[in-house]
Amino acid sequence: MKVAVLPGDGIGPEIVAVAAKVLARVAPSVELEFGDVGGAAFDKFGHPLPTTTLDLAKRADAVLFGAVGDWKYDALPRALRPEQALLGLRQALGLFANLRPAILYSELEAASSLRAEIVSGLDILIVRELTGDIYFGTPRGRRMAPDGPFAGAPEAFDTMRYSEPEIERIAHVAFRAAQKRRAKVTSVDKANVLESSQLWREVVSRIHAAYPDVTLEHMYVDNAAMQLVRAPKSFDVIVTGNLFGDILSDEAAMLTGSIGMLPSASLNAAGQGMFEPCHGSAPDLAGKDRANPLATILSAAMMLRYSLDDANAATRIESAVKEVLAQGLRTADIAHLGEVAVGTREMGDAVLRVLENEART
Ligand code: NAD
């Protein structure tokens, strides 16, 4: 098994270095090959996703990705901005399903933005469609508004679009995931207003017929945003489109205390995937040994489970993360008043120590 390791920008190299060590510890036979991506690749090769990196990702069984982006690239044309590397990898690898678990560890209940009784025990999974929707819809562009009260004024437009097969395959992913969890899917759309959402709702309902053991409910996105903070534990699996999923998954992230705790998996039809923390490159923390590496370590666990077929190693990593939290280790983002924060490397070393001790006993 080969893993392409793409650290990227900002805190990417620090958190990926730690996660790669953890991966090597639990799965020593997995071959890790490093590549450049994002702003780091632009600086070296003049492109955020050089052909060598793309080839490496295509040849690998899975990709471990750090984060890309920095304000210093803001003036570049859109096609050369670091974030384009992510879109390029998703498209080239056909990664259409983004799985984002939002789990609140009992040790971190106080770090959540909500009261403990509302979030305690939270364990939800957001399944976000990744290759369609307004981010990729055509036509898009700028023009002079042809009509309406602002006719003749400059305007910009993007088109939200979904095809039936795109909705079918993401619905299957959500229903299958729910079968392994609490057997409930909430499909989130805006079918009261949007034509593409009406199609979404029809197709998800049709696919549901093949999963009689799973309960399906439909919810408008505005209500879903509200319910996520009112009664988040009423959800099990949420399936939604690219734009709504982008927003709702960040909202869910905050329920768990810190975006520094949340892993994600992006999968294609063959089970090949890219695994990355939900957060960005946090340029404010770069090079300071202050970033929380746990989201990236937990992404490596998801990689073992979903792409490398080693659920046992995945569980070992997840248990080690729980153990270091139980021991009281906290990076600054999850530390509370009076708690001493440890750095990125020290948190990683603590996870490695737990794995080592466990191997000895
Ligand atoms: P961000 O996620 O990088 O940071 C948001 C906040 O969370 C910051 O205060 C940061 O310090 C904190 N944070 C993030 N990760 C953390 C961690 N592991 N430990 C502790 N704190 C952490 O989002 P942003 O500030 O909006 O964006 C910064 C850059 O990242 C931008 O260039 C953006 O385009 C890019 N970005 C990249 C990705 C990606 O690579 N997948 C995702 C989102 C944003």
Side-chain angles (χ1 to χ4, degrees), residues 7 9-11 15 65-74 81-83 86 90 100 246 250 254 258-262 264 274 276-286 290-296 331-334 344:
D9 307 319
I11 58 172
I15 52 176
F65 189 94
V68 289
D70 190 293
W71 317 127
K72 73 177 179 180
Y73 302 105
D74 277 0
R81 302 242 327 231
E83 293 80 358
L86 265 175
R90 283 176 192 162
R100 289 190 176 198
D246 193 358
D250 270 20
M254 271 330 288
S258 170
I259 201 162
M261 292 297 302
L262 290 180
S264 79
M274 185 159 88
E276 56 176 320
C278 288
H279 57 73
S281 57
D284 51 325
L285 301 181
R290 280 185 53 206
N292 186 345
L294 294 179
T296 319
T331 41
D333 57 311
I334 50 175
T344 310

Side-chain angles (χ1 to χ4, degrees), residues 214-235:
V214 178
T215 305
L216 169 67
E217 69 176 0
H218 295 283
M219 196 177 278
Y220 297 136
V221 63
D222 40 349
N223 187 22
M226 200 164 70
Q227 297 307 325
L228 261 177
V229 287
R230 196 189 72 86
K233 285 190 281 183
S234 63
F235 294 104

Side-chain angles (χ1 to χ4, degrees), residues 77-94:
R78 194 160 53 150
L80 293 178
R81 302 242 327 231
E83 293 80 358
Q84 289 302 310
L86 265 175
L87 301 184
L89 280 164
R90 283 176 192 162
Q91 270 185 325
L93 301 177

